[in-house]
Coordinates of all heavy atoms in Angstrom, one line a residue:
S24 N -18.3 3.8 1.0 CA -16.9 4.3 0.9 C -16.0 3.3 0.1 O -14.9 3.7 -0.2 CB -16.3 4.4 2.3 OG -16.0 3.1 2.9
F25 N -16.5 2.2 -0.4 CA -15.8 1.2 -1.1 C -15.0 1.8 -2.3 O -13.8 1.5 -2.4 CB -16.8 0.2 -1.6 CG -16.2 -1.1 -2.3 CD1 -15.6 -2.1 -1.5 CD2 -16.2 -1.2 -3.6 CE1 -15.1 -3.2 -2.1 CE2 -15.7 -2.4 -4.3 CZ -15.1 -3.4 -3.5
A26 N -15.6 2.6 -3.1 CA -14.9 3.2 -4.3 C -13.8 4.2 -3.9 O -13.0 4.6 -4.7 CB -15.9 3.9 -5.2
S27 N -13.9 4.7 -2.6 CA -12.9 5.6 -2.2 C -11.5 5.0 -1.9 O -10.5 5.6 -1.9 CB -13.3 6.3 -0.9 OG -14.5 7.1 -1.1
W28 N -11.5 3.7 -1.6 CA -10.3 3.0 -1.3 C -9.9 1.9 -2.2 O -8.7 1.5 -2.2 CB -10.3 2.6 0.2 CG -11.2 1.6 0.6 CD1 -12.5 1.8 1.1 CD2 -11.0 0.2 0.7 NE1 -13.1 0.6 1.4 CE2 -12.2 -0.4 1.2 CE3 -10.0 -0.7 0.4 CZ2 -12.4 -1.8 1.4 CZ3 -10.1 -2.0 0.5 CH2 -11.3 -2.6 1.0
V29 N -10.9 1.3 -2.9 CA -10.5 0.1 -3.7 C -10.1 0.6 -5.1 O -10.9 1.3 -5.8 CB -11.7 -0.8 -3.9 CG1 -11.5 -1.9 -4.9 CG2 -12.1 -1.4 -2.5
V30 N -8.9 0.4 -5.5 CA -8.4 0.8 -6.8 C -9.1 0.1 -7.9 O -9.3 -1.1 -7.8 CB -6.8 0.5 -6.9 CG1 -6.3 0.8 -8.3 CG2 -6.1 1.3 -5.8
G31 N -9.7 0.9 -8.8 CA -10.4 0.3 -9.9 C -11.9 0.5 -9.8 O -12.6 0.7 -10.8
A32 N -12.4 0.6 -8.6 CA -13.9 0.8 -8.4 C -14.1 2.3 -8.5 O -13.3 3.1 -7.9 CB -14.3 0.4 -7.0
T33 N -15.0 2.7 -9.3 CA -15.2 4.2 -9.6 C -16.4 4.8 -9.1 O -16.5 6.0 -8.9 CB -15.0 4.5 -11.1 OG1 -16.0 3.7 -11.8 CG2 -13.7 4.1 -11.7
H34 N -17.5 3.9 -8.9 CA -18.8 4.5 -8.5 C -19.6 3.4 -7.8 O -19.7 2.3 -8.4 CB -19.5 5.0 -9.8 CG -20.9 5.4 -9.6 ND1 -21.2 6.6 -9.0 CD2 -22.1 4.8 -9.8 CE1 -22.5 6.7 -8.9 NE2 -23.1 5.6 -9.4
I35 N -20.1 3.7 -6.7 CA -21.0 2.8 -6.0 C -22.4 3.1 -6.4 O -22.9 4.2 -6.3 CB -20.9 3.0 -4.4 CG1 -19.5 2.7 -4.0 CG2 -21.9 2.0 -3.7 CD1 -18.9 1.4 -4.3
R36 N -23.1 2.1 -7.0 CA -24.5 2.2 -7.4 C -25.5 1.9 -6.4 O -26.5 2.5 -6.3 CB -24.7 1.3 -8.7 CG -23.8 1.7 -9.8 CD -24.0 0.8 -11.1 NE -23.6 -0.6 -10.8 CZ -24.4 -1.6 -10.8 NH1 -25.7 -1.5 -11.0 NH2 -23.9 -2.8 -10.6
D37 N -25.2 0.9 -5.5 CA -26.1 0.5 -4.5 C -25.4 -0.3 -3.4 O -24.4 -1.0 -3.8 CB -27.3 -0.3 -5.0 CG -28.4 -0.4 -4.1 OD1 -28.6 0.4 -3.1 OD2 -29.2 -1.4 -4.2
V38 N -25.9 -0.3 -2.2 CA -25.3 -1.1 -1.1 C -26.5 -1.8 -0.4 O -27.4 -1.1 0.0 CB -24.5 -0.3 -0.1 CG1 -24.0 -1.2 1.0 CG2 -23.4 0.4 -0.8
D39 N -26.5 -3.1 -0.3 CA -27.5 -3.8 0.5 C -27.6 -3.2 1.9 O -26.6 -2.9 2.5 CB -27.2 -5.3 0.5 CG -27.5 -6.0 -0.8 OD1 -27.9 -5.4 -1.8 OD2 -27.2 -7.2 -0.8
P40 N -28.8 -3.0 2.4 CA -29.0 -2.3 3.7 C -28.3 -3.0 4.8 O -27.8 -2.3 5.7 CB -30.5 -2.4 3.9 CG -31.1 -2.6 2.5 CD -30.1 -3.3 1.7
S41 N -28.1 -4.3 4.8 CA -27.5 -5.0 6.0 C -26.0 -5.3 5.7 O -25.4 -6.0 6.5 CB -28.2 -6.3 6.3 OG -28.3 -7.1 5.2
W42 N -25.4 -4.6 4.7 CA -23.9 -4.7 4.5 C -23.2 -4.5 5.7 O -23.5 -3.5 6.4 CB -23.5 -3.8 3.4 CG -22.0 -3.8 3.1 CD1 -21.1 -2.9 3.7 CD2 -21.3 -4.6 2.2 NE1 -19.9 -3.2 3.3 CE2 -19.9 -4.2 2.4 CE3 -21.6 -5.6 1.3 CZ2 -18.9 -4.8 1.6 CZ3 -20.6 -6.2 0.6 CH2 -19.3 -5.8 0.8
P43 N -22.2 -5.2 6.2 CA -21.5 -6.3 5.5 C -22.0 -7.7 6.0 O -21.1 -8.6 6.2 CB -20.1 -6.1 5.8 CG -20.1 -5.5 7.2 CD -21.4 -4.8 7.3
A44 N -23.2 -8.0 6.2 CA -23.7 -9.3 6.6 C -23.4 -10.3 5.5 O -23.4 -9.9 4.3 CB -25.2 -9.3 6.9
E45 N -23.1 -11.5 5.9 CA -22.8 -12.6 4.9 C -23.9 -12.7 3.9 O -25.1 -12.6 4.2 CB -22.7 -13.9 5.6 CG -22.1 -15.0 4.7 CD -21.7 -16.2 5.5 OE1 -21.3 -16.1 6.7 OE2 -21.8 -17.3 4.9
G46 N -23.5 -12.7 2.6 CA -24.5 -12.8 1.5 C -24.9 -11.4 0.9 O -25.5 -11.4 -0.2
T47 N -24.6 -10.3 1.6 CA -25.0 -9.0 1.1 C -24.0 -8.6 0.0 O -22.9 -9.1 -0.1 CB -25.1 -8.0 2.2 OG1 -23.8 -7.9 2.9 CG2 -26.1 -8.3 3.3
Q48 N -24.5 -7.6 -0.8 CA -23.7 -7.2 -1.9 C -23.6 -5.7 -2.0 O -24.4 -4.9 -1.6 CB -24.4 -7.6 -3.2 CG -24.6 -9.1 -3.3 CD -25.3 -9.6 -4.6 OE1 -26.0 -8.8 -5.2 NE2 -25.1 -10.8 -4.9
L49 N -22.5 -5.3 -2.7 CA -22.2 -3.9 -3.2 C -22.4 -4.0 -4.7 O -21.9 -4.9 -5.3 CB -20.8 -3.5 -2.9 CG -20.3 -3.2 -1.5 CD1 -18.8 -3.1 -1.6 CD2 -20.9 -2.0 -1.0
H50 N -23.0 -2.9 -5.2 CA -23.2 -2.8 -6.7 C -22.4 -1.6 -7.1 O -22.6 -0.5 -6.6 CB -24.6 -2.7 -7.0 CG -25.5 -3.7 -6.4 ND1 -25.9 -4.8 -7.2 CD2 -26.0 -3.9 -5.2 CE1 -26.6 -5.6 -6.4 NE2 -26.7 -5.1 -5.2
Y51 N -21.4 -1.8 -8.0 CA -20.5 -0.7 -8.3 C -20.1 -0.7 -9.8 O -20.5 -1.6 -10.6 CB -19.2 -0.8 -7.5 CG -18.6 -2.2 -7.6 CD1 -17.6 -2.4 -8.6 CD2 -18.9 -3.2 -6.8 CE1 -17.0 -3.7 -8.7 CE2 -18.3 -4.5 -6.9 CZ -17.4 -4.7 -7.9 OH -16.8 -5.9 -8.0
R52 N -19.4 0.3 -10.2 CA -18.8 0.4 -11.5 C -17.3 0.4 -11.4 O -16.8 1.0 -10.5 CB -19.3 1.7 -12.1 CG -19.0 1.9 -13.6 CD -19.8 3.0 -14.2 NE -21.2 2.5 -14.3 CZ -22.2 3.3 -14.1 NH1 -22.1 4.5 -13.8 NH2 -23.5 2.8 -14.2
V53 N -16.7 -0.3 -12.4 CA -15.2 -0.3 -12.5 C -14.8 0.2 -13.8 O -15.5 0.1 -14.8 CB -14.6 -1.7 -12.2 CG1 -15.0 -2.2 -10.8 CG2 -15.1 -2.7 -13.3
G54 N -13.5 0.7 -13.9 CA -13.0 1.1 -15.1 C -12.8 2.6 -15.2 O -13.1 3.3 -14.2
V55 N -12.4 3.1 -16.4 CA -12.3 4.5 -16.6 C -13.3 4.9 -17.7 O -13.3 4.2 -18.8 CB -10.8 4.8 -17.1 CG1 -10.7 6.3 -17.4 CG2 -9.8 4.4 -16.0
W56 N -14.0 5.9 -17.5 CA -15.0 6.3 -18.4 C -14.4 6.6 -19.8 O -13.3 7.2 -19.8 CB -15.8 7.6 -17.9 CG -16.9 8.0 -18.8 CD1 -18.2 7.5 -18.7 CD2 -16.8 8.9 -19.9 NE1 -18.9 8.1 -19.7 CE2 -18.1 8.9 -20.5 CE3 -15.8 9.6 -20.5 CZ2 -18.4 9.7 -21.6 CZ3 -16.1 10.4 -21.6 CH2 -17.4 10.4 -22.1
P57 N -14.9 6.2 -20.9 CA -16.2 5.6 -21.1 C -16.1 4.1 -21.1 O -17.1 3.4 -21.4 CB -16.6 6.1 -22.5 CG -15.3 6.2 -23.2 CD -14.3 6.6 -22.2
F58 N -15.0 3.5 -20.6 CA -14.8 2.1 -20.6 C -15.1 1.5 -19.2 O -14.2 1.2 -18.5 CB -13.4 1.7 -21.1 CG -13.1 2.3 -22.4 CD1 -12.2 3.4 -22.5 CD2 -13.6 1.9 -23.6 CE1 -11.9 4.0 -23.7 CE2 -13.4 2.4 -24.8 CZ -12.5 3.5 -24.9
T59 N -16.4 1.5 -18.8 CA -16.7 1.0 -17.5 C -17.7 -0.1 -17.6 O -18.3 -0.4 -18.6 CB -17.4 2.1 -16.7 OG1 -18.6 2.6 -17.3 CG2 -16.5 3.3 -16.5
M60 N -17.7 -0.9 -16.5 CA -18.6 -2.1 -16.4 C -19.3 -2.0 -15.0 O -18.6 -1.7 -14.0 CB -17.8 -3.4 -16.6 CG -17.1 -3.5 -17.9 SD -16.1 -5.0 -17.9 CE -17.3 -6.3 -17.7
D61 N -20.5 -2.5 -15.0 CA -21.2 -2.6 -13.7 C -21.0 -4.0 -13.2 O -21.1 -5.0 -14.0 CB -22.7 -2.3 -13.9 CG -23.0 -0.9 -14.2 OD1 -22.1 0.0 -14.0 OD2 -24.1 -0.6 -14.6
D62 N -20.8 -4.2 -11.9 CA -20.7 -5.5 -11.3 C -21.0 -5.5 -9.8 O -21.4 -4.4 -9.3 CB -19.4 -6.2 -11.6 CG -19.6 -7.6 -12.1 OD1 -20.4 -8.3 -11.5 OD2 -19.0 -8.0 -13.1
I63 N -20.7 -6.6 -9.1 CA -21.0 -6.7 -7.7 C -19.8 -7.3 -6.9 O -19.0 -8.0 -7.5 CB -22.3 -7.5 -7.4 CG1 -22.1 -8.9 -7.9 CG2 -23.5 -6.8 -8.0 CD1 -23.3 -9.8 -7.5
T64 N -19.8 -7.0 -5.6 CA -19.0 -7.8 -4.6 C -19.9 -8.3 -3.6 O -20.8 -7.6 -3.1 CB -17.9 -6.9 -4.1 OG1 -16.9 -6.6 -5.1 CG2 -17.2 -7.5 -2.9
Q65 N -19.7 -9.5 -3.2 CA -20.6 -10.2 -2.2 C -19.8 -10.6 -1.0 O -18.6 -11.1 -1.1 CB -21.3 -11.4 -2.8 CG -22.2 -12.1 -1.9 CD -23.1 -13.1 -2.6 OE1 -23.4 -12.9 -3.7 NE2 -23.4 -14.2 -1.9
V66 N -20.3 -10.5 0.2 CA -19.7 -10.9 1.4 C -19.8 -12.4 1.5 O -20.9 -13.0 1.5 CB -20.3 -10.2 2.7 CG1 -19.7 -10.8 3.9 CG2 -20.2 -8.7 2.6
S67 N -18.6 -13.1 1.7 CA -18.6 -14.5 1.8 C -18.6 -14.9 3.3 O -19.1 -15.9 3.7 CB -17.3 -15.1 1.2 OG -17.3 -14.8 -0.2
A68 N -17.8 -14.1 4.1 CA -17.7 -14.4 5.6 C -17.4 -13.1 6.3 O -16.8 -12.2 5.7 CB -16.6 -15.4 5.8
V69 N -17.9 -13.0 7.5 CA -17.6 -11.7 8.3 C -17.5 -12.2 9.7 O -18.2 -13.0 10.2 CB -18.7 -10.7 8.1 CG1 -20.1 -11.2 8.5 CG2 -18.4 -9.4 8.7
D70 N -16.5 -11.5 10.4 CA -16.4 -11.7 11.9 C -15.9 -10.4 12.4 O -14.7 -10.1 12.6 CB -15.3 -12.8 12.2 CG -15.1 -13.0 13.6 OD1 -16.0 -12.6 14.5 OD2 -14.1 -13.7 14.0
A71 N -16.8 -9.5 12.5 CA -16.5 -8.1 12.9 C -15.9 -8.1 14.3 O -16.4 -8.8 15.2 CB -17.7 -7.2 12.9

Side-chain angles (χ1 to χ4, degrees):
S24 74
F25 188 77
S27 299
W28 64 270
V29 174
V30 173
T33 59
H34 174 76
I35 302 301
R36 298 179 294 115
D37 193 25
V38 178
D39 286 356
S41 56
W42 174 270
E45 192 170 327
T47 58
Q48 298 178 342
L49 290 170
H50 306 261
Y51 55 90
R52 185 165 292 140
V53 297
V55 177
W56 186 88
F58 307 105
T59 61
M60 298 174 63
D61 291 345
D62 229 316
I63 62 170
T64 288
Q65 182 169 326
V66 177
S67 305
V69 62
D70 181 15

